[in-house]
Amino acid sequence: MFMQGEETQHTERDRLSVILAVTLASATLFRFIELPTLIWGVRHILGSPLQLAFGGNWLLALLMVGLVATGTFSLIQGHPHRETQERLLIFSLINPALGTLLASLLLIRAASWPVWLVTLLVGGVLIGLLIHLNYRAFSSESPGYTSARTLLNIADYLLGFALTSVILQAQERALITGPAIFLLITLLAFDLLSASGADWPMVLLFGGIIALLVSEMAWVLGYWPISTWTAATMLTLELYLLSGLSYQYLLGRLTRKVLLEFGIVAMLMFVLVLWIRP
């Protein structure tokens, strides 16, 4: 049994090393290649001009996310406890993919070589850690399952805050930021709720409702003169509240006491955010 565990760890490290090597090598290659930007013509939607641009930066982000997602899929397929999985395998790809997206966006924004190199190294560590945690949290029989799942939940909220801030800082029209936030929150809600072990139709239903409510809040905050950080914090707080209550409901543990606890925490955090106003 001990030898089997050692062999599994070696297999995971070997495959994880390959995933990181290919992903970071691709990111490095794009640093030396400048691709043209394709711009689709301006269209007037609701009386305002709108155009779409696709260039090397977006291609880099899509390539890195695709490599990490497919690599994670291949790694988890060989999990020794695949038969005891509590959720669909595809849900385990969400967290590493979003972490990779954040790393790629930071690489795109790196202004100098030293900053780019540090970002590449930190991004590699982040991606590797997220893949490792998802591998450990794939089955409740995996060693370190509880701590891995807890860290992944924390990572989901941090990624939600960071990526929401990036979307809001772009200062695009609501026609663009709205669907972007909806898609982001949908993926995060799926990852958080699927850990409950509930059937995937229920996860999709509750995740979609949460994403819709958070997107509506983002639309309202767009008319409020607050900073990007404050808006991102409030949206992340709403995600925490709604996903936490939904998670407890899916587990059959939603009681008045739980509602009161979440309500108090959410209210205290809301008041603190308004007071600090970062």
Side-chain angles (χ1 to χ4, degrees), residues 87-222:
R87 60 178 185 168
L88 296 178
L89 190 154
I90 192 172
F91 290 134
S92 297
L93 309 182
I94 295 175
N95 190 277
L98 293 179
T100 305
L101 176 61
L102 177 61
S104 64
L105 293 177
L106 294 177
L107 284 173
I108 293 171
R109 296 183 173 205
S112 61
W113 271 102
V115 174
W116 182 89
L117 183 59
V118 172
T119 304
L120 181 69
L121 295 177
V122 174
V125 173
L126 172 64
I127 295 170
L129 179 61
L130 293 179
I131 296 176
H132 171 72
L133 290 176
N134 275 276
Y135 185 83
R136 293 300 176 191
F138 184 66
S139 170
S140 57
E141 296 185 6
S142 300
Y145 167 82
T146 303
S147 57
R149 188 61 252 176
T150 301
L151 291 174
L152 283 175
N153 289 346
I154 297 174
D156 278 334
Y157 294 122
L158 293 177
L159 288 172
F161 171 77
L163 290 173
T164 300
S165 300
V166 172
I167 294 173
L168 295 177
Q169 282 181 344
Q171 296 182 346
E172 296 285 351
R173 291 182 53 201
L175 192 61
I176 296 178
T177 58
I181 291 179
F182 177 82
L183 178 59
L184 170 63
I185 300 301
T186 299
L187 293 175
L188 291 172
F190 286 169
D191 187 45
L192 290 166
L193 298 182
S194 60
S196 66
D199 295 335
W200 64 266
M202 294 296 292
V203 172
L204 298 184
L205 175 62
F206 278 79
I209 294 174
I210 292 173
L212 181 61
L213 293 175
V214 176
S215 299
E216 290 178 347
M217 176 62 73
W219 177 72
V220 172
L221 292 177

Side-chain angles (χ1 to χ4, degrees), residues 1 4-6 8-9 12 75-87 89 92 134-145:
M1 190 71 177
Q4 183 179 4
E6 286 287 329
T8 301
Q9 290 182 0
E12 180 197 355
L75 175 63
I76 295 181
Q77 269 194 323
H79 198 283
H81 301 294
R82 175 74 188 276
E83 305 80 14
T84 60
Q85 69 184 69
E86 295 188 346
R87 60 178 185 168
L89 190 154
S92 297
N134 275 276
Y135 185 83
R136 293 300 176 191
F138 184 66
S139 170
S140 57
E141 296 185 6
S142 300
Y145 167 82

